[in-house]
Every structure is written in C-alpha cells, then in structure tokens.
C-alpha cells in the first residue's frame, strides 16, 4: 500500500526525484517544515560544546546553535532528537541520512566539502595543546616531535600532526581514540604527554578539571566551525546561514558563548562572517 502510494506520488512528480523512504533527496528546509522534527548529531563528551548531562539532557554551544537553527527552520526543541556523533562518523551520518545535520565542533574543510556541505562558520578557533598542569617541556607544536600525543579518529587535529611529523611519528607517537574525552585519562595517567585539538575543546577540559591540565595557548591552525548538512542542499545552507546571522545579531550567540565557555569566551569578541556558496 505504502509502496503503491509512493509510486503514485513519484509518477505525479515531474522531477521524479523525491525519494520514498529515509534517504529523501529534498532540502532540510522542507523536511523541517513538514515533519517539525530533526535528528541532529552532536558530541556528548566535550564540556562547553556538546555534553550529556546527568539528567539525560545536553548542554554546550553546539547544542545552543543546533536548537536555534532548528527553531528558525520551524522545529521546536521537543522535535529535536540529539544523536551522539564522533569525529569519524560525522560525514557518514550525514551521507547515510542517519542525521539531518551535524553541529559538533565540525571544521569546514575542502576535503569534507566533497562529501557534505557546510553552513557557517559560527565560530573560528585554532588547534592547540593540552598538557598536565606541571609540564614545562611542551611549549608549542614543535615540542610534540618527541612526545606522545592523543587525538580522536577522523578529526582533522591528529591528521595535521601526522602530516607535519610523518608516518614514523604517527605510528610511534600518536594514539587515536574515538573521542577527545577518552584522551583525558591517558593524559592524566601519563600514557600520553599531550592532547592536541581545537583550543575551544581543550579549554573546556581544563575548566572541567581545575588544576589538573593546562592549555599551552599557541594555536597553529584555523578551524572554522560549520553546520554540516547533505551535499548540494543549497537552500538548506542558505536558510541555516540566515539563522546563524540572526543568532549573531539578536545577542543569542554572545549569551551562549558566555554561558558555555566561561573565561575562555572573552577571546571571541565578535562573530565571524558566514561563507555563502
Ligand atoms: N574541529 C576539528 C574537526 O572538525 C577537531 C575537533 C573534532 O574532531 O571534533 O575535526
């Protein structure tokens, strides 16, 4: 019956492109408007960004951006299903339609743009280094040459170090976990000497465990955080960019930074410009 209805609908469509099932080819704009529901991929182990709370809810700047964008697309908070995304499964989640969008400390890169598309950026940060509070030997990226470093699989951060120091360094010095939260015990127990990823994420960890870790504070890349959606969904990108710009203008962006990033938030004095394409 459903299949029949589907065929009829297809026959009625001049384009014939509307899919009948999960992998709808349409824009996130239509899906949000029609269903009033969205599935959104977020991190759940990054304080200040995407963190699962003891009560089962989620908190962080990415969560705020996700809720704001959803609302602008016509989806109330009760219509959002948050799904845990890890660095490595963000593109596949979007490509396979397991999520409608990803808001997860997700850097806009040309390589990723071959598989998915991005709205934003809504924040710009840089790759940095987290060490134990008493470490004095790691002062910049060059110091990592002889050190053991932890990163997350599928994240651009460990890749940048592997590209810099080579494959031998990668096999001897780099440990990759599913998420950055899993790197923390390794740093604490001295199985690694450093965690390297975006300063924003590391500052959140440092604030979570006062006195245990410190941020080196010498960023060595430019990471533009975007909202990932399906490849070629131009009207989706446009609508999300408009929502992000509204979040910048009406004060919600500032409020979210202050609420989620604490002291570190003062480094973000003004919002970036969104990049429309
Ligand atoms: N922003 C970087 C990335 O998108 C590192 C953080 C992360 O993996 O979530 O790969």
């Amino acid at each position: 019956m459903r299949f029949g209805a589907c065929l009829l609908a297809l026959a009625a469509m001049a384009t014939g492109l509307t899919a009948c099932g999960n992998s709808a080819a349409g824009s996130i704009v239509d899906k949000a408007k029609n269903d009033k529901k969205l599935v959104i991929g977020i991190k759940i182990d990054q304080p200040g960004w995407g963190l699962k709370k003891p009560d089962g809810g989620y908190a962080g700047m990415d969560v705020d951006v996700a809720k704001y964008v959803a609302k602008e697309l016509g989806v109330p908070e009760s219509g959002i299903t948050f799904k845990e995304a890890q660095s490595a499964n963000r593109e596949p989640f979007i490509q396979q339609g397991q999520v409608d969008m990803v808001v997860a400390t997700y850097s806009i890169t040309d390589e990723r743009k071959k598989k998915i598309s991005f709205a934003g950026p809504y924040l710009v940060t840089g790759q940095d280094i987290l060490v134990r509070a008493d470490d004095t030997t790691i002062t910049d990226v060059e110091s990592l040459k002889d050190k053991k470093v932890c990163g997350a699989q599928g994240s651009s951060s460990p890749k940048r170090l592997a590209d810099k120091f080579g494959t031998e360094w990668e096999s001897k010095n780099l440990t990759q976990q599913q998420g950055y939260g899993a790197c923390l015990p390794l740093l604490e127990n001295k199985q690694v000497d450093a965690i390297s990823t975006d300063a924003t994420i590391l500052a959140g960890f440092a604030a979570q465990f006062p006195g245990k870790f410190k941020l080196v504070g010498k960023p060595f890349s430019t990471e533009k955080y975007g909202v990932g959606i399906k490849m070629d969904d131009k009207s989706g990108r446009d609508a999300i960019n408009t929502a992000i710009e509204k979040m910048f203008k009406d004060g919600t962006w500032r409020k979210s930074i202050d609420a989620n990033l604490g002291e570190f938030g003062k480094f973000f004095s003004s919002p970036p410009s969104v990049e429309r394409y």
Side-chain angles (χ1 to χ4, degrees):
M1 185 64 198
R2 279 194 67 187
F3 181 66
C6 214
L7 274 183
L8 274 178
L10 262 185
M13 299 289 294
T15 63
L17 272 176
T18 300
C20 298
N22 263 340
S23 55
S27 172
I28 189 171
V29 175
D30 302 319
K31 165 141 199 222
K33 209 184 286 168
N34 298 334
D35 299 357
K36 304 266 177 261
K37 278 186 198 154
L38 284 175
V39 181
I40 305 179
I42 53 163
K43 296 288 184 81
I44 66 162
D45 65 345
Q46 295 182 181
W49 294 93
L51 189 69
K52 190 165 188 171
K53 297 187 290 181
D55 69 4
Y58 300 95
M61 173 121 197
D62 285 338
V63 175
D64 289 352
V65 170
K67 286 179 184 169
Y68 193 98
V69 167
K71 190 185 77 194
E72 290 301 305
L73 296 180
V75 176
E77 216 177 297
S78 59
I80 301 174
T81 303
F82 284 114
K83 188 175 164 88
E84 179 188 0
Q86 286 161 348
S87 293
N89 62 25
R90 291 173 295 191
E91 291 94 274
F93 268 14
I94 296 169
Q95 288 175 300
Q96 296 159 8
Q98 294 199 48
V99 299
D100 298 303
M101 74 183 185
V102 166
V103 192
T105 57
Y106 201 7
S107 296
I108 300 171
T109 68
D110 288 342
E111 214 175 307
R112 289 173 181 158
K113 271 186 180 171
K114 290 177 195 156
K115 297 178 183 165
I116 59 133
S117 47
F118 285 103
Y122 56 90
L123 196 108
V124 181
T125 183
Q127 184 168 347
D128 213 311
I129 304 163
L130 190 75
V131 295
R132 286 181 293 275
D134 60 359
D135 182 286
T136 52
T137 61
I138 299 171
T139 51
D140 59 11
V141 63
E142 301 304 330
S143 338
L144 297 179
K145 200 172 180 332
D146 316 302
K147 301 289 184 180
K148 297 224 178 304
V149 182
C150 187
Q153 275 156 19
S155 176
S156 44
S157 318
K159 188 173 181 300
R160 179 167 290 102
L161 294 177
D163 288 348
K164 179 177 172 63
F165 294 124
T167 48
E168 202 185 320
W169 181 90
E170 184 179 358
S171 59
K172 278 198 192 140
N173 296 55
L174 186 64
T175 302
Q176 303 213 51
Q177 298 290 320
Q178 285 198 335
Y180 285 101
C183 287
L184 281 176
L186 303 186
L187 180 59
E188 189 176 10
N189 301 332
K190 306 193 175 180
Q191 285 161 273
V192 298
D193 308 302
I195 303 173
S196 183
T197 186
D198 306 335
T200 42
I201 299 172
L202 300 176
F205 288 141
Q208 193 187 24
F209 300 102
K212 260 196 188 151
F213 309 112
K214 68 178 177 198
L215 187 65
V216 169
K218 290 259 186 67
F220 52 93
S221 75
T222 302
E223 308 295 325
K224 299 174 179 179
Y225 285 176
V227 173
I229 56 170
K230 259 201 190 120
M231 184 86 176
D232 297 332
D233 183 0
K234 176 157 168 49
S235 49
R237 284 201 309 269
D238 286 346
I240 295 170
N241 279 329
T242 300
I244 290 171
E245 283 172 335
K246 188 169 169 195
M247 188 180 184
F248 292 163
K249 277 194 213 113
D250 72 6
T252 311
W253 181 83
R254 180 78 259 155
K255 243 189 237 157
S256 177
I257 287 192
D258 292 343
N260 293 299
L261 308 193
E263 267 294 285
F264 194 69
K266 66 173 188 281
F267 291 108
F268 304 94
S269 49
S270 56
S273 303
V274 301
E275 294 168 2
R276 292 181 184 262
Y277 63 98

